[in-house]
Amino acid sequence: MTWEIEIDPQLCMASGSCAAIAPDLFVLDGAHARPPHDRIEEDERALDAADVCPAMAITVRAAGKVLGPRP
Ligand code: SF4
């Protein structure tokens, strides 16, 4: 299934944690991270990044359902 990655630029503090986990899924672009691809194939690293984001800025969804960050 295709997943969607969203990063809230208002929350992102450019810590770089997401890009360290998955540099192909998250890139630092100036003061914020962004996903080079809004839609990805299932990839646990996207959930790992959402879990460790200190700003809770990353949301991962599948068909509109929130998968991460995990509770
Ligand atoms: S881990 Fe979160 S705060 Fe850090 S760069 Fe990525 S989205 Fe921004």
Side-chain angles (χ1 to χ4, degrees):
M1 179 179 289
T2 303
W3 289 1
E4 299 119 48
I5 296 177
E6 182 184 350
I7 297 176
D8 186 335
Q10 307 275 16
L11 296 177
C12 175
M13 57 178 74
S15 70
S17 304
C18 54
I21 289 174
D24 52 325
L25 301 182
F26 302 92
V27 293
L28 278 177
D29 190 4
H32 307 294
R34 66 175 175 80
H37 311 286
D38 292 337
R39 294 175 182 274
I40 62 167
E41 292 301 312
E42 290 183 33
D43 192 327
E44 283 289 318
R45 295 175 305 151
L47 297 179
D48 293 341
D51 289 347
V52 304
C53 174
M56 299 284 284
I58 301 170
T59 306
V60 182
R61 295 184 179 87
K65 181 183 171 206
V66 175
L67 302 178
R70 291 171 281 207

